[in-house]
Amino acid sequence: MFREFRASVADALEDALATLDLPVDDLGIERPPEDVPAVVASSVAYRLAEAAGAPPPKIAADIAAAIDPAEYAHLGSVETQGPYVNFLPEETYFEKTLEAAQDDEYGHLPATGDSVVVEHTSANPTGPVHVGRARNPIVGDSLARVLEYAGNDVEVHYYVNDAGRQLALFTWAYETFSEDDLPEPERDSLEYEMVRYYRKGNSYLEDADAADSEAAEAEIQAILQGLENGDEDTYERVSEVVDTVLGGMRDTLQRLPAAFDQFIKETRFMRDGSTDALVDRLQALDAAVYEADAWQLDLPDFEKNLVFLRSDGTSLYTTRDLAHHEWKFEHYDRAVTVLGEDHKLQADQLSATLDLLDHDTDCLDQVFYSWVNLPEGGMSTREGTGIDLDDLLDEAIDRAREEVEDRLDDRLRDDDLTEDDLDRIAHQVGIGAVRFDIVAKQPTKGITFEWDRALDFEAQSAPYVQYVHARCCGILDEASEAGHAVPDSIDAGLLSAPEERDLLREIARFPAVIEQAADELRPHVVATYTRAFAEAFNAFYRECPVLTADEERREARLALVAASRTTIANALDALGVAAPDSM
RNA sequence: GGGCGCGUAGCUCAGUGGACAGAGUACUUGGUUCCGGACCAAGAGGUCAGGGGUUCAAAUCCCUUCGCGCCCGCCA
């Protein structure tokens, strides 16, 4: 309802300004501070002071007087407070909010008709997913969910770098070294077993003498050339390594949960000829230069040229990624990519080149996040330094289970949790806490990983919000057992306590929060919202007993609890955090 | 050296032109005959990194200095 109300206010303001013969520019619509009862406000009077030759409070009063609330949907009254024009809704605003929010689909916006491809993670398939990368799947998966809530037709892709030197080296190492020479895998899972070959290959190359090193390099080069020439046998050999490792990584990512609709291999764009065709078109560009035996683009605004064809005639990662993006443009209306900040330059050059190729790069968005580091430095799959995501999630679940068990005796609610419940709650809370902690922060801010901080279940974390959902479920269960049905519609006048009004206002905002998160590609605004929502719900819970209230009030409050439950359930769903029925 | 990002309470973070800058945590204090205490209430805590500018209005925009991170490869 908030979005509809805001639109009404915009209409009313525009009409009023036209009536008063004032210029319509920025309407200055904003959300007022907490202690102001209005749902939205406008500071437009400030901006008009000069044009109107009057002080802002006078203009605000004129605007308020020029608006007849009855003419606009949901608008109850218009008030001024100094220079601000405040807009208050009529009762139907709250009644419609309550009705809309009881729908299981609450928060989903009308279909945009756009197909959007969200590419995220896309880590080289060289070994276990570590925490340094964990921000990518969490931000990416949440972003995909938010875009879907916002009415888009979303597809999630993992772009597999299977054509680079690292995978050629990995394939060589896998075929060269014997398992007898390798340490025990750190975990009984394919990618942990496989990464041992990769690490062995890297350390061998570091220590090998010139002759051995040269021989190994020749084999690695042969694999790279085979891929470039479209040699089927080479492709199969590399694929075996890539698919095996990727399968293990996929299982780990699934735990977050982060799922993918498609894994797009970069060799695909070599094998189907699109990279070669692209190279031809790049060579024909005015910006193309042939220097030092290599084809490059002299991009304006960039210091360094972008090499797109090596002197040996092979393509580079960015060349293939260009072909990949042209493919995306062909099949989707919009493309969003979640990338580490270390890829910023490459991504900017990619965009600039797509521009030169006459693509509309407005439909390409890149979301950057900064790396997660350990107090002692970075994490590396090759060197085997860092915390594996599997270990972090296991530890989170273990600690969550301890919490649940510690609290069992203190529970007021008498609902006998089973062993399965404990297991479920430990998973929901443990993984939810890790995920929420990461998605709630702006991705551009740096994070240093510390166990105790990542696994802090205190307030403002996932469990705090999840608890609100469990509480709602608890109340609704009790009501149902006592035979109290949740009414479809109620008289909003029955919900007149300030805590009830605040909660209704928060519920009404949810679709607008989804809209903002999708527009700005910032899922963390949803996390911020869930905390504000939880606070409003807890205040309501404290002041307004539901089941023990008289019948009319009980019904109204039950409807409010039901609406709260779907709102918080869907907000958590948009973040990819589980909403426990009990905890 | 150049480019990009970040700097807000002791700590972790919201807030990116508009109403006195907000939460959590830590610290002090209080709350369960009553629907779930993983909760709530009160207190204290700020040169919004420093300086300059634009504006009726700046944590927010511009310039500059400092600190931290990332990038500047015929790697990905």
Short mmCIF file of all heavy atoms in Angstrom, two decimals, chain A residues 35 47 84 292 304 310 407 412-413 442 445 471 541-542 547 583, chain B residues 7 14-15 18-20 24 35-38 40 73-76:
data_model
loop_
_atom_site.label_atom_id
_atom_site.label_comp_id
_atom_site.label_asym_id
_atom_site.label_seq_id
_atom_site.Cartn_x
_atom_site.Cartn_y
_atom_site.Cartn_z
N ASP A 35 9.07 10.12 15.06
CA ASP A 35 8.10 10.74 15.96
C ASP A 35 7.04 11.56 15.22
O ASP A 35 6.15 12.12 15.83
CB ASP A 35 8.81 11.60 17.00
CG ASP A 35 9.79 12.57 16.36
OD1 ASP A 35 10.13 12.37 15.17
OD2 ASP A 35 10.21 13.52 17.03
N ARG A 47 12.38 24.42 -1.52
CA ARG A 47 12.90 24.64 -2.86
C ARG A 47 12.14 25.73 -3.62
O ARG A 47 12.63 26.29 -4.57
CB ARG A 47 12.84 23.35 -3.65
CG ARG A 47 14.19 22.71 -3.76
CD ARG A 47 14.07 21.25 -4.02
NE ARG A 47 13.83 20.54 -2.77
CZ ARG A 47 13.87 19.24 -2.67
NH1 ARG A 47 14.07 18.50 -3.71
NH2 ARG A 47 13.67 18.66 -1.50
N TYR A 84 7.46 21.66 6.44
CA TYR A 84 7.15 20.34 5.91
C TYR A 84 5.66 20.15 5.71
O TYR A 84 4.84 20.61 6.51
CB TYR A 84 7.65 19.25 6.87
CG TYR A 84 9.15 19.19 6.94
CD1 TYR A 84 9.84 19.89 7.93
CD2 TYR A 84 9.87 18.48 6.01
CE1 TYR A 84 11.21 19.87 7.99
CE2 TYR A 84 11.25 18.44 6.05
CZ TYR A 84 11.92 19.14 7.05
OH TYR A 84 13.29 19.11 7.10
N ALA A 292 53.17 -4.92 -31.19
CA ALA A 292 53.98 -5.99 -30.62
C ALA A 292 53.37 -7.35 -30.93
O ALA A 292 53.24 -8.22 -30.06
CB ALA A 292 54.12 -5.80 -29.11
N LYS A 304 45.75 1.73 -20.15
CA LYS A 304 46.38 0.61 -20.85
C LYS A 304 45.47 0.08 -21.95
O LYS A 304 44.25 0.06 -21.79
CB LYS A 304 46.63 -0.52 -19.85
CG LYS A 304 47.54 -0.14 -18.72
CD LYS A 304 48.84 -0.88 -18.80
CE LYS A 304 49.78 -0.34 -17.74
NZ LYS A 304 51.06 -1.02 -17.73
N ARG A 310 46.26 -12.75 -28.41
CA ARG A 310 47.70 -12.88 -28.11
C ARG A 310 48.50 -12.98 -29.40
O ARG A 310 47.97 -13.29 -30.46
CB ARG A 310 47.95 -14.13 -27.28
CG ARG A 310 47.40 -14.11 -25.88
CD ARG A 310 48.00 -15.29 -25.10
NE ARG A 310 47.48 -15.37 -23.75
CZ ARG A 310 46.48 -16.18 -23.39
NH1 ARG A 310 45.93 -16.97 -24.28
NH2 ARG A 310 46.06 -16.20 -22.15
N ARG A 407 19.15 -23.32 25.88
CA ARG A 407 17.93 -22.57 26.14
C ARG A 407 16.72 -23.45 26.41
O ARG A 407 15.67 -22.96 26.78
CB ARG A 407 17.60 -21.64 24.96
CG ARG A 407 18.57 -20.50 24.83
CD ARG A 407 18.43 -19.84 23.48
NE ARG A 407 19.58 -19.01 23.16
CZ ARG A 407 19.66 -17.73 23.48
NH1 ARG A 407 18.66 -17.14 24.06
NH2 ARG A 407 20.74 -17.04 23.18
N LEU A 412 9.66 -20.78 27.70
CA LEU A 412 8.37 -20.59 28.34
C LEU A 412 7.34 -21.46 27.64
O LEU A 412 6.40 -21.96 28.25
CB LEU A 412 7.92 -19.13 28.22
CG LEU A 412 8.73 -18.13 29.02
CD1 LEU A 412 8.12 -16.75 28.88
CD2 LEU A 412 8.78 -18.53 30.49
N ARG A 413 7.56 -21.61 26.38
CA ARG A 413 6.59 -22.33 25.57
C ARG A 413 6.75 -23.83 25.79
O ARG A 413 7.84 -24.37 25.80
CB ARG A 413 6.80 -22.00 24.09
CG ARG A 413 5.67 -22.46 23.22
CD ARG A 413 5.87 -21.93 21.81
NE ARG A 413 5.00 -22.63 20.89
CZ ARG A 413 3.70 -22.41 20.79
NH1 ARG A 413 3.15 -21.50 21.56
NH2 ARG A 413 2.97 -23.09 19.94
N GLN A 442 26.75 -3.51 3.38
CA GLN A 442 27.01 -3.05 2.04
C GLN A 442 28.24 -3.79 1.52
O GLN A 442 29.26 -3.82 2.18
CB GLN A 442 27.32 -1.55 2.04
CG GLN A 442 26.20 -0.74 2.58
CD GLN A 442 26.23 0.67 2.04
OE1 GLN A 442 26.48 0.89 0.86
NE2 GLN A 442 25.96 1.63 2.90
N LYS A 445 32.03 -2.59 1.55
CA LYS A 445 32.84 -2.42 2.76
C LYS A 445 33.70 -3.65 3.01
O LYS A 445 33.24 -4.77 2.83
CB LYS A 445 31.92 -2.21 3.96
CG LYS A 445 31.00 -1.02 3.77
CD LYS A 445 30.84 -0.23 5.02
CE LYS A 445 29.97 0.98 4.75
NZ LYS A 445 29.94 1.91 5.85
N ARG A 471 7.65 -16.51 16.78
CA ARG A 471 6.64 -15.98 17.69
C ARG A 471 5.27 -15.87 17.01
O ARG A 471 4.25 -16.25 17.58
CB ARG A 471 7.05 -14.58 18.15
CG ARG A 471 7.56 -14.53 19.53
CD ARG A 471 7.85 -13.09 19.92
NE ARG A 471 8.23 -13.06 21.32
CZ ARG A 471 8.73 -11.99 21.93
NH1 ARG A 471 8.92 -10.87 21.25
NH2 ARG A 471 9.04 -12.03 23.20
N TYR A 541 4.09 -6.72 20.40
CA TYR A 541 3.93 -7.92 21.21
C TYR A 541 3.92 -7.59 22.70
O TYR A 541 3.17 -8.17 23.49
CB TYR A 541 5.07 -8.89 20.89
CG TYR A 541 5.06 -10.13 21.74
CD1 TYR A 541 4.26 -11.22 21.40
CD2 TYR A 541 5.83 -10.20 22.89
CE1 TYR A 541 4.24 -12.34 22.19
CE2 TYR A 541 5.81 -11.32 23.68
CZ TYR A 541 5.01 -12.40 23.33
OH TYR A 541 4.98 -13.51 24.11
N ARG A 542 4.74 -6.66 23.06
CA ARG A 542 4.85 -6.28 24.47
C ARG A 542 3.59 -5.58 24.94
O ARG A 542 3.08 -5.85 26.02
CB ARG A 542 6.06 -5.36 24.66
CG ARG A 542 6.31 -4.92 26.09
CD ARG A 542 7.48 -3.98 26.20
NE ARG A 542 7.18 -2.64 25.71
CZ ARG A 542 7.66 -2.13 24.59
NH1 ARG A 542 8.46 -2.84 23.82
NH2 ARG A 542 7.35 -0.89 24.21
N LEU A 547 -4.17 -13.16 22.30
CA LEU A 547 -5.12 -14.23 22.63
C LEU A 547 -6.01 -13.89 23.81
O LEU A 547 -7.13 -14.37 23.91
CB LEU A 547 -4.36 -15.52 22.89
CG LEU A 547 -3.55 -16.01 21.68
CD1 LEU A 547 -2.71 -17.22 22.04
CD2 LEU A 547 -4.47 -16.33 20.51
N MET A 583 11.61 -22.21 17.39
CA MET A 583 13.05 -22.23 17.65
C MET A 583 13.31 -22.11 19.14
O MET A 583 12.39 -22.01 19.94
CB MET A 583 13.75 -21.11 16.88
CG MET A 583 13.28 -19.71 17.17
SD MET A 583 13.97 -18.49 16.03
CE MET A 583 15.58 -18.17 16.79
P G B 7 32.45 4.51 4.43
OP1 G B 7 31.24 4.14 5.18
OP2 G B 7 32.43 5.64 3.48
"O5'" G B 7 33.63 4.77 5.47
"C5'" G B 7 33.94 3.78 6.45
"C4'" G B 7 35.10 4.29 7.30
"O4'" G B 7 36.19 4.63 6.43
"C3'" G B 7 34.76 5.53 8.11
"O3'" G B 7 35.33 5.44 9.42
"C2'" G B 7 35.44 6.66 7.35
"O2'" G B 7 35.87 7.70 8.18
"C1'" G B 7 36.64 5.94 6.74
N9 G B 7 37.10 6.61 5.52
C8 G B 7 36.47 6.66 4.30
N7 G B 7 37.12 7.36 3.42
C5 G B 7 38.25 7.81 4.10
C6 G B 7 39.32 8.61 3.65
O6 G B 7 39.49 9.12 2.55
N1 G B 7 40.26 8.83 4.66
C2 G B 7 40.18 8.33 5.92
N2 G B 7 41.17 8.65 6.76
N3 G B 7 39.18 7.57 6.36
C4 G B 7 38.26 7.35 5.40
P A B 14 26.87 -1.01 6.56
OP1 A B 14 26.89 -1.77 5.32
OP2 A B 14 27.60 0.27 6.66
"O5'" A B 14 25.36 -0.78 6.97
"C5'" A B 14 24.88 0.52 7.07
"C4'" A B 14 23.44 0.48 7.47
"O4'" A B 14 23.39 0.63 8.91
"C3'" A B 14 22.67 1.67 6.92
"O3'" A B 14 22.11 1.36 5.66
"C2'" A B 14 21.62 1.89 8.00
"O2'" A B 14 20.58 0.94 7.90
"C1'" A B 14 22.44 1.61 9.25
N9 A B 14 23.15 2.79 9.74
C8 A B 14 24.50 2.98 9.84
N7 A B 14 24.84 4.15 10.36
C5 A B 14 23.63 4.76 10.59
C6 A B 14 23.29 6.02 11.14
N6 A B 14 24.19 6.90 11.54
N1 A B 14 21.99 6.33 11.25
C2 A B 14 21.08 5.43 10.83
N3 A B 14 21.26 4.22 10.30
C4 A B 14 22.58 3.94 10.22
P G B 15 22.45 2.28 4.41
OP1 G B 15 21.59 1.78 3.32
OP2 G B 15 23.90 2.37 4.24
"O5'" G B 15 21.93 3.71 4.88
"C5'" G B 15 20.55 3.94 5.05
"C4'" G B 15 20.34 5.23 5.82
"O4'" G B 15 21.10 5.17 7.04
"C3'" G B 15 20.85 6.49 5.12
"O3'" G B 15 19.81 7.05 4.32
"C2'" G B 15 21.15 7.42 6.29
"O2'" G B 15 20.02 8.12 6.72
"C1'" G B 15 21.61 6.44 7.37
N9 G B 15 23.07 6.36 7.45
C8 G B 15 23.87 5.38 6.95
N7 G B 15 25.14 5.60 7.17
C5 G B 15 25.17 6.80 7.86
C6 G B 15 26.27 7.54 8.37
O6 G B 15 27.46 7.29 8.30
N1 G B 15 25.85 8.71 9.00
C2 G B 15 24.55 9.10 9.13
N2 G B 15 24.34 10.25 9.77
N3 G B 15 23.51 8.41 8.66
C4 G B 15 23.90 7.29 8.05
P G B 18 18.61 13.92 2.77
OP1 G B 18 19.61 13.16 3.51
OP2 G B 18 17.65 13.21 1.91
"O5'" G B 18 17.78 14.80 3.81
"C5'" G B 18 18.46 15.53 4.82
"C4'" G B 18 17.55 16.63 5.33
"O4'" G B 18 17.36 17.60 4.30
"C3'" G B 18 16.20 16.14 5.77
"O3'" G B 18 15.98 16.52 7.11
"C2'" G B 18 15.21 16.85 4.82
"O2'" G B 18 14.10 17.30 5.53
"C1'" G B 18 16.03 18.04 4.37
N9 G B 18 15.71 18.59 3.06
C8 G B 18 15.38 17.97 1.90
N7 G B 18 15.21 18.79 0.91
C5 G B 18 15.45 20.04 1.46
C6 G B 18 15.42 21.32 0.88
O6 G B 18 15.20 21.62 -0.28
N1 G B 18 15.71 22.31 1.79
C2 G B 18 15.99 22.09 3.13
N2 G B 18 16.25 23.16 3.87
N3 G B 18 16.03 20.90 3.69
C4 G B 18 15.75 19.93 2.80
P A B 19 16.54 15.59 8.29
OP1 A B 19 18.00 15.74 8.30
OP2 A B 19 15.94 14.24 8.30
"O5'" A B 19 15.95 16.41 9.50
"C5'" A B 19 16.13 17.83 9.61
"C4'" A B 19 15.12 18.36 10.61
"O4'" A B 19 13.81 18.31 10.01
"C3'" A B 19 15.06 17.54 11.89
"O3'" A B 19 14.84 18.40 12.99
"C2'" A B 19 13.81 16.67 11.70
"O2'" A B 19 13.15 16.37 12.88
"C1'" A B 19 12.94 17.57 10.84
N9 A B 19 12.01 16.81 9.98
C8 A B 19 12.30 15.83 9.08
N7 A B 19 11.26 15.35 8.45
C5 A B 19 10.20 16.06 8.98
C6 A B 19 8.81 16.03 8.73
N6 A B 19 8.25 15.21 7.85
N1 A B 19 8.03 16.87 9.43
C2 A B 19 8.61 17.69 10.31
N3 A B 19 9.90 17.82 10.63
C4 A B 19 10.64 16.97 9.92
P C B 20 15.99 19.38 13.60
OP1 C B 20 15.45 19.88 14.89
OP2 C B 20 16.38 20.35 12.55
"O5'" C B 20 17.25 18.44 13.84
"C5'" C B 20 18.40 18.98 14.51
"C4'" C B 20 18.65 18.32 15.83
"O4'" C B 20 17.39 18.19 16.53
"C3'" C B 20 19.19 16.89 15.74
"O3'" C B 20 20.61 16.93 15.70
"C2'" C B 20 18.68 16.23 17.02
"O2'" C B 20 19.59 16.41 18.08
"C1'" C B 20 17.39 17.01 17.32
N1 C B 20 16.19 16.21 17.02
C2 C B 20 15.51 15.60 18.10
O2 C B 20 15.98 15.74 19.24
N3 C B 20 14.41 14.87 17.85
C4 C B 20 13.96 14.73 16.61
N4 C B 20 12.86 13.99 16.42
C5 C B 20 14.62 15.33 15.50
C6 C B 20 15.72 16.06 15.76
P G B 24 19.33 -0.99 20.34
OP1 G B 24 18.11 -1.50 21.01
OP2 G B 24 20.05 0.16 20.93
"O5'" G B 24 20.36 -2.19 20.16
"C5'" G B 24 19.94 -3.38 19.50
"C4'" G B 24 21.15 -4.09 18.96
"O4'" G B 24 21.83 -3.22 18.03
"C3'" G B 24 22.22 -4.44 19.98
"O3'" G B 24 21.88 -5.63 20.66
"C2'" G B 24 23.44 -4.61 19.09
"O2'" G B 24 23.41 -5.84 18.41
"C1'" G B 24 23.22 -3.47 18.09
N9 G B 24 23.93 -2.25 18.48
C8 G B 24 23.40 -1.08 18.94
N7 G B 24 24.30 -0.18 19.20
C5 G B 24 25.51 -0.80 18.90
C6 G B 24 26.84 -0.32 18.99
O6 G B 24 27.23 0.79 19.35
N1 G B 24 27.76 -1.27 18.59
C2 G B 24 27.43 -2.54 18.16
N2 G B 24 28.46 -3.33 17.82
N3 G B 24 26.20 -3.00 18.07
C4 G B 24 25.29 -2.08 18.45
P C B 35 1.33 -16.39 29.18
OP1 C B 35 1.12 -17.83 29.39
OP2 C B 35 2.65 -15.79 29.50
"O5'" C B 35 0.99 -16.02 27.67
"C5'" C B 35 -0.08 -16.71 27.04
"C4'" C B 35 0.04 -16.62 25.55
"O4'" C B 35 -0.35 -15.30 25.10
"C3'" C B 35 1.46 -16.75 24.97
"O3'" C B 35 1.84 -18.10 24.88
"C2'" C B 35 1.30 -16.12 23.59
"O2'" C B 35 0.88 -17.07 22.64
"C1'" C B 35 0.17 -15.11 23.80
N1 C B 35 0.61 -13.72 23.66
C2 C B 35 -0.26 -12.81 23.05
O2 C B 35 -1.35 -13.22 22.67
N3 C B 35 0.11 -11.53 22.91
C4 C B 35 1.31 -11.14 23.33
N4 C B 35 1.62 -9.87 23.16
C5 C B 35 2.23 -12.05 23.94
C6 C B 35 1.84 -13.33 24.09
P G B 36 3.11 -18.48 23.93
OP1 G B 36 2.71 -18.12 22.57
OP2 G B 36 3.57 -19.83 24.22
"O5'" G B 36 4.22 -17.41 24.38
"C5'" G B 36 4.94 -17.55 25.55
"C4'" G B 36 6.42 -17.42 25.22
"O4'" G B 36 6.77 -18.43 24.24
"C3'" G B 36 6.81 -16.08 24.64
"O3'" G B 36 8.09 -15.72 25.14
"C2'" G B 36 6.93 -16.40 23.15
"O2'" G B 36 7.86 -15.55 22.50
"C1'" G B 36 7.51 -17.80 23.20
N9 G B 36 7.32 -18.56 21.98
C8 G B 36 6.18 -18.91 21.34
N7 G B 36 6.39 -19.60 20.26
C5 G B 36 7.77 -19.70 20.18
C6 G B 36 8.59 -20.34 19.23
O6 G B 36 8.25 -20.96 18.23
N1 G B 36 9.93 -20.21 19.54
C2 G B 36 10.42 -19.54 20.64
N2 G B 36 11.75 -19.53 20.77
N3 G B 36 9.67 -18.95 21.54
C4 G B 36 8.36 -19.07 21.25
P G B 37 8.32 -14.39 26.06
OP1 G B 37 7.67 -14.58 27.36
OP2 G B 37 7.96 -13.25 25.18
"O5'" G B 37 9.88 -14.33 26.32
"C5'" G B 37 10.79 -14.19 25.24
"C4'" G B 37 12.19 -14.29 25.78
"O4'" G B 37 12.40 -13.25 26.76
"C3'" G B 37 12.49 -15.60 26.49
"O3'" G B 37 13.85 -15.97 26.27
"C2'" G B 37 12.32 -15.25 27.95
"O2'" G B 37 13.10 -16.06 28.81
"C1'" G B 37 12.85 -13.82 27.95
N9 G B 37 12.33 -13.03 29.04
C8 G B 37 11.05 -12.60 29.27
N7 G B 37 10.95 -11.89 30.36
C5 G B 37 12.24 -11.86 30.89
C6 G B 37 12.74 -11.24 32.06
O6 G B 37 12.13 -10.58 32.89
N1 G B 37 14.10 -11.47 32.21
C2 G B 37 14.87 -12.18 31.35
N2 G B 37 16.14 -12.29 31.68
N3 G B 37 14.42 -12.76 30.25
C4 G B 37 13.09 -12.55 30.09
P A B 38 14.24 -16.81 24.95
OP1 A B 38 13.10 -17.35 24.27
OP2 A B 38 15.32 -17.69 25.39
"O5'" A B 38 14.88 -15.66 24.05
"C5'" A B 38 16.00 -14.92 24.52
"C4'" A B 38 16.86 -14.54 23.33
"O4'" A B 38 17.40 -15.75 22.75
"C3'" A B 38 16.07 -13.85 22.22
"O3'" A B 38 16.95 -12.95 21.53
"C2'" A B 38 15.75 -14.99 21.27
"O2'" A B 38 15.59 -14.56 19.93
"C1'" A B 38 17.03 -15.82 21.38
N9 A B 38 16.88 -17.22 21.02
C8 A B 38 15.96 -18.13 21.44
N7 A B 38 16.11 -19.31 20.92
C5 A B 38 17.21 -19.17 20.08
C6 A B 38 17.88 -20.04 19.23
N6 A B 38 17.54 -21.31 19.09
N1 A B 38 18.94 -19.58 18.54
C2 A B 38 19.28 -18.30 18.70
N3 A B 38 18.73 -17.36 19.47
C4 A B 38 17.69 -17.87 20.14
P C B 40 14.03 -6.69 21.74
OP1 C B 40 13.76 -5.99 20.48
OP2 C B 40 15.42 -6.89 22.19
"O5'" C B 40 13.25 -5.96 22.92
"C5'" C B 40 11.88 -5.65 22.76
"C4'" C B 40 11.33 -5.16 24.07
"O4'" C B 40 11.60 -6.14 25.10
"C3'" C B 40 11.99 -3.91 24.61
"O3'" C B 40 11.48 -2.75 23.98
"C2'" C B 40 11.60 -3.98 26.08
"O2'" C B 40 10.24 -3.64 26.28
"C1'" C B 40 11.77 -5.48 26.35
N1 C B 40 13.11 -5.80 26.89
C2 C B 40 13.37 -5.50 28.23
O2 C B 40 12.48 -4.96 28.90
N3 C B 40 14.58 -5.78 28.76
C4 C B 40 15.50 -6.37 28.01
N4 C B 40 16.68 -6.63 28.58
C5 C B 40 15.27 -6.69 26.64
C6 C B 40 14.07 -6.39 26.12
P G B 73 49.58 -3.90 -16.05
OP1 G B 73 50.22 -4.48 -14.86
OP2 G B 73 50.21 -2.85 -16.84
"O5'" G B 73 49.22 -5.08 -17.06
"C5'" G B 73 50.22 -5.48 -17.98
"C4'" G B 73 50.18 -6.97 -18.18
"O4'" G B 73 50.43 -7.66 -16.95
"C3'" G B 73 48.88 -7.50 -18.75
"O3'" G B 73 49.17 -8.24 -19.92
"C2'" G B 73 48.39 -8.49 -17.70
"O2'" G B 73 47.81 -9.62 -18.21
"C1'" G B 73 49.68 -8.85 -16.98
N9 G B 73 49.48 -9.33 -15.64
C8 G B 73 49.10 -8.63 -14.52
N7 G B 73 49.02 -9.37 -13.46
C5 G B 73 49.35 -10.64 -13.90
C6 G B 73 49.42 -11.86 -13.20
O6 G B 73 49.20 -12.06 -12.01
N1 G B 73 49.79 -12.92 -14.03
C2 G B 73 50.07 -12.81 -15.37
N2 G B 73 50.40 -13.91 -15.99
N3 G B 73 50.00 -11.67 -16.04
C4 G B 73 49.65 -10.64 -15.25
P C B 74 49.74 -7.50 -21.20
OP1 C B 74 51.19 -7.49 -21.13
OP2 C B 74 49.00 -6.25 -21.41
"O5'" C B 74 49.29 -8.51 -22.33
"C5'" C B 74 48.08 -9.19 -22.20
"C4'" C B 74 48.21 -10.56 -22.80
"O4'" C B 74 48.67 -10.39 -24.16
"C3'" C B 74 49.24 -11.44 -22.09
"O3'" C B 74 48.70 -12.75 -22.09
"C2'" C B 74 50.47 -11.37 -23.01
"O2'" C B 74 51.19 -12.58 -23.02
"C1'" C B 74 49.81 -11.19 -24.36
N1 C B 74 50.66 -10.50 -25.33
C2 C B 74 51.12 -11.24 -26.42
O2 C B 74 50.81 -12.42 -26.50
N3 C B 74 51.88 -10.63 -27.34
C4 C B 74 52.19 -9.36 -27.21
N4 C B 74 52.94 -8.81 -28.15
C5 C B 74 51.76 -8.58 -26.09
C6 C B 74 50.99 -9.20 -25.18
P C B 75 49.08 -13.73 -20.85
OP1 C B 75 50.50 -13.82 -20.60
OP2 C B 75 48.31 -14.94 -21.19
"O5'" C B 75 48.37 -13.05 -19.60
"C5'" C B 75 47.02 -13.29 -19.36
"C4'" C B 75 46.89 -14.30 -18.23
"O4'" C B 75 47.42 -13.68 -17.03
"C3'" C B 75 45.49 -14.68 -17.87
"O3'" C B 75 45.03 -15.71 -18.72
"C2'" C B 75 45.67 -15.15 -16.43
"O2'" C B 75 46.21 -16.44 -16.40
"C1'" C B 75 46.71 -14.16 -15.92
N1 C B 75 46.09 -13.00 -15.23
C2 C B 75 45.74 -13.14 -13.86
O2 C B 75 45.92 -14.22 -13.32
N3 C B 75 45.20 -12.08 -13.22
C4 C B 75 45.01 -10.94 -13.85
N4 C B 75 44.49 -9.94 -13.17
C5 C B 75 45.35 -10.78 -15.23
C6 C B 75 45.89 -11.82 -15.87
P A B 76 43.61 -15.68 -19.34
OP1 A B 76 43.54 -16.83 -20.26
OP2 A B 76 43.29 -14.33 -19.83
"O5'" A B 76 42.69 -15.97 -18.08
"C5'" A B 76 42.76 -17.21 -17.39
"C4'" A B 76 42.06 -17.04 -16.07
"O4'" A B 76 42.75 -16.01 -15.31
"C3'" A B 76 40.63 -16.53 -16.16
"O3'" A B 76 39.71 -17.57 -16.38
"C2'" A B 76 40.44 -15.84 -14.81
"O2'" A B 76 40.17 -16.77 -13.81
"C1'" A B 76 41.82 -15.24 -14.58
N9 A B 76 41.88 -13.85 -15.06
C8 A B 76 42.14 -13.41 -16.33
N7 A B 76 42.14 -12.10 -16.44
C5 A B 76 41.85 -11.66 -15.16
C6 A B 76 41.70 -10.37 -14.61
N6 A B 76 41.83 -9.25 -15.32
N1 A B 76 41.41 -10.27 -13.30
C2 A B 76 41.28 -11.40 -12.59
N3 A B 76 41.40 -12.66 -12.99
C4 A B 76 41.69 -12.72 -14.30
#
